Amino acid sequence: MIRLIKKGLMFGNLVHISSPALVERYNRALQHLAGKTTALTDFHIDISGYSPEVGIELEDELYLNPNGVNRQFILLTTEQKRAPLLNVKFSTSRDILREFIEMNEAQLFALTATDAVAGELVNSVIKLTTPRDLLNLRKIEIEADTAGGTLRKAQQLAGMVEQFKSEEDAWFDDVLIAKMIETAKETGDVTRNPVRLRHTAFEQRNFWTAHFDGLYLFPDLDHPAVICMGDRPDDMPIKYVFDPSQRNQIAKFLGLNGLVETIIEARGVNSAAILQQKMDFLTVDAAADAGVDLTGLDRGDMRRLARNHSDRLPDAYHGLARLLRWAKDGGPWPRITSDHPAYFYTLRATNTPNRDLVNMLLAELAPLDPRQVFICHKELFYRTYATWPEAKKAYVADFLAREYQVDKAGARAALFGHEPDMSGNDRISEDIIARVGPWGAVGRS
């Protein structure tokens, strides 16, 4: 994974923590949440405050995410909103954290000026025992306070102020007045500057989870369904539960809900260029398996590779080739049904609130397009990257650094329509390259 880190394709835009004050605040928050501390004097954190270096030190990649359900977080700076989320277990977690930070940015900025804010994404499930439990995760509430309890004390002070105002003999209550003065030293004047966080409840409707080998849950659609990447659960209270082998049923589900469109019919895209690039990736996959050197390939080299390894090219390649001939040369319209291996390579999500989730699903159904997998499903990308031949690793990493990193927003817009910046400006610190080392584990996006 060192190649990905050096090219800014992994651990990009983490926040570097090195000042003794911030390290001390982090440790107080970590002790408060998990009963642990770190001996490291500098490290990097994601949007939730998770640090890959601390995870190694503690030998626990889920030290801020017990059971992978109720993710805890430590905020040292509001700049964490630009960072990615590592060890993703739910597709909605980063969006919830980012929206929470943005909606409370002024308050969080003031609170983190003197202390760390520690909290948790809370739902009604403590531990998942069956896939059925996932459907209970409909509402996520954020509970947060500083490690020193500033918000709790501010609430207490507000209550004492109200008591002081409403009780007739409060002026003579020396104990109450003394408590108010002492608490105000920590919270400030809550009557003029009330300290409270808002927008702390979020609906979790349709989402992906890494649990149970990966599940896409769409309960909030006109035609609901669950799509599982592993064994099909038999206890889901949703009528339609599909696995990747049921291509016709998945295609029908996507179509009935208006979730997808073909690349050919999508407006404002160079469909021929997108199809050609997908074919190139399929060619590279076949050539890499044959042990071919993929360094410095140009368009002519790619055509020669396709000719020389035509017997190795998958059926998906030939289906895309027929579609490309139609798009470029007006050839006969190819009938590519959902049974065809090329079918899901020809789709992208329509512009609905479920767009990112659907593009994530399509990436998993068309796994030989590493660009789409990297953009839409980094968990899957890092997991499959580790299994590739070195030649393919080098080619894909060079391609992504050259063609995607230089203009991420433009590339996403060209492929999928307008896309929000999902990862921020991927800055990579050289020292994390040296200390993180060649990661062998998966699940970091």
Side-chain angles (χ1 to χ4, degrees):
M1 299 292 185
I2 285 290
R3 181 186 288 111
L4 297 179
I5 299 172
K6 287 184 175 180
K7 291 181 179 295
L9 300 170
M10 191 174 187
F11 299 125
N13 205 36
L14 296 181
V15 178
H16 188 204
I17 304 301
S18 58
S19 78
L22 290 182
V23 173
E24 190 272 335
R25 292 175 194 172
Y26 187 86
N27 268 328
R28 284 198 290 123
L30 185 56
Q31 178 67 41
H32 172 72
L33 290 176
K36 303 174 182 179
T37 57
T38 176
L40 300 178
T41 56
D42 74 297
F43 45 87
H44 298 76
I45 59 175
D46 69 2
I47 189 173
S48 74
Y50 168 80
S51 166
E53 299 103 321
V54 174
I56 290 176
E57 178 197 22
L58 299 178
E59 298 182 343
D60 182 6
E61 291 186 346
L62 296 179
Y63 72 89
L64 283 182
N65 195 11
N67 299 321
V69 180
N70 294 303
R71 183 177 281 270
Q72 298 171 316
F73 61 89
I74 298 172
L75 298 179
L76 299 178
T77 168
T78 54
E79 285 303 302
Q80 285 173 236
K81 70 179 182 179
R82 307 182 192 282
L85 181 65
L86 307 182
N87 293 328
V88 177
K89 297 299 182 183
F90 292 90
S91 59
T92 53
S93 296
R94 183 178 184 270
D95 290 339
I96 289 174
L97 280 170
R98 180 164 185 168
E99 186 174 351
F100 169 72
I101 295 172
E102 290 177 340
M103 292 295 292
N104 296 282
E105 191 153 5
Q107 296 283 36
L108 291 171
F109 182 83
L111 291 170
T112 55
T114 57
D115 203 352
V117 173
E120 184 174 349
L121 276 64
V122 181
N123 57 67
S124 59
V125 177
I126 298 175
K127 185 176 181 179
L128 295 171
T129 55
T130 70
R132 186 187 187 95
D133 295 335
L134 291 164
L135 294 175
N136 295 324
L137 307 180
R138 301 284 291 179
K139 185 177 182 181
I140 307 297
E141 294 189 359
I142 290 185
E143 295 180 357
D145 200 347
T146 65
T150 301
L151 295 176
R152 173 176 51 82
K153 293 173 182 176
Q155 187 175 12
Q156 292 173 349
L157 179 57
M160 287 187 282
V161 170
E162 184 60 31
Q163 179 184 350
F164 182 80
K165 289 179 178 180
S166 60
E167 291 186 2
E168 184 176 348
D169 297 328
W171 280 100
F172 307 103
D173 191 338
D174 294 337
V175 174
L176 175 61
I177 293 172
K179 285 183 178 179
M180 290 170 59
I181 294 172
E182 191 64 29
T183 306
K185 290 178 181 178
E186 299 181 64
T187 65
D189 187 350
V190 295
T191 60
R192 293 186 178 182
N193 302 295
V195 183
R196 66 173 62 93
L197 299 175
R198 62 192 180 95
H199 198 65
T200 58
F202 301 84
E203 292 292 327
Q204 181 168 262
R205 299 181 183 278
N206 304 313
F207 61 94
W208 166 87
T209 178
H211 293 280
F212 306 109
D213 298 321
L215 290 170
Y216 293 83
L217 293 96
F218 295 92
D220 197 40
L221 294 176
D222 291 338
H223 305 278
V226 173
I227 300 172
C228 53
M229 294 299 118
D231 295 334
R232 292 174 60 191
D234 55 10
D235 65 339
M236 296 297 288
I238 290 182
K239 182 176 180 180
Y240 297 106
V241 180
F242 306 128
D243 63 55
S245 69
Q246 297 175 284
R247 298 173 62 87
N248 292 339
Q249 291 89 331
I250 293 175
K252 184 176 181 180
F253 157 76
L254 294 172
L256 284 174
N257 289 289
L259 296 175
V260 293
E261 63 185 2
T262 67
I263 296 169
I264 294 296
E265 67 183 323
R267 294 183 178 181
V269 302
N270 186 343
S271 56
I274 295 173
L275 291 170
Q276 182 65 68
Q277 186 58 67
K278 290 176 182 288
M279 291 167 58
D280 288 350
F281 286 136
L282 295 174
T283 301
V284 164
D285 184 73
D289 287 342
V292 175
D293 182 9
L294 302 175
T295 305
L297 296 179
D298 58 22
R299 171 53 42 206
D301 295 328
M302 199 66 72
R303 285 194 297 269
R304 283 190 291 275
L305 279 179
R307 286 196 300 269
N308 294 341
H309 300 277
S310 58
D311 59 327
R312 290 177 171 268
L313 294 174
D315 290 338
Y317 177 95
H318 301 295
L320 292 175
R322 293 198 300 272
L323 194 58
L324 179 62
R325 283 194 294 272
W326 175 85
K328 291 178 65 175
D329 305 324
W333 170 253
R335 180 171 174 77
I336 298 177
T337 65
S338 55
D339 289 325
H340 198 287
Y343 180 76
F344 290 113
Y345 288 92
T346 70
L347 301 180
R348 75 173 196 177
T350 52
N351 189 21
T352 72
N354 297 296
R355 180 187 58 199
D356 292 344
L357 181 62
V358 173
N359 277 330
M360 187 179 187
L361 171 62
L362 291 175
E364 194 145 8
L365 296 172
L368 296 181
D369 182 350
R371 176 173 57 179
Q372 179 161 341
V373 176
F374 178 78
I375 295 172
C376 302
H377 197 337
K378 286 189 175 61
E379 297 289 309
L380 177 62
F381 178 84
Y382 296 135
R383 186 166 70 245
T384 55
Y385 176 92
T387 67
W388 293 344
E390 281 301 315
K392 183 176 178 179
K393 288 181 180 179
Y395 175 86
V396 172
D398 289 343
F399 174 88
L400 292 174
R402 182 181 67 251
E403 303 291 337
Y404 173 66
Q405 288 290 85
V406 295
D407 184 15
K408 292 179 291 182
R412 287 194 293 268
L415 290 169
F416 310 115
H418 174 69
E419 289 283 318
D421 187 351
M422 295 179 285
S423 58
N425 178 24
D426 290 338
R427 301 185 304 272
I428 286 288
S429 173
E430 288 297 323
D431 58 345
I432 195 174
I433 297 175
R435 288 187 289 156
V436 164
W439 291 82
V442 300
R444 300 174 176 87
S445 68

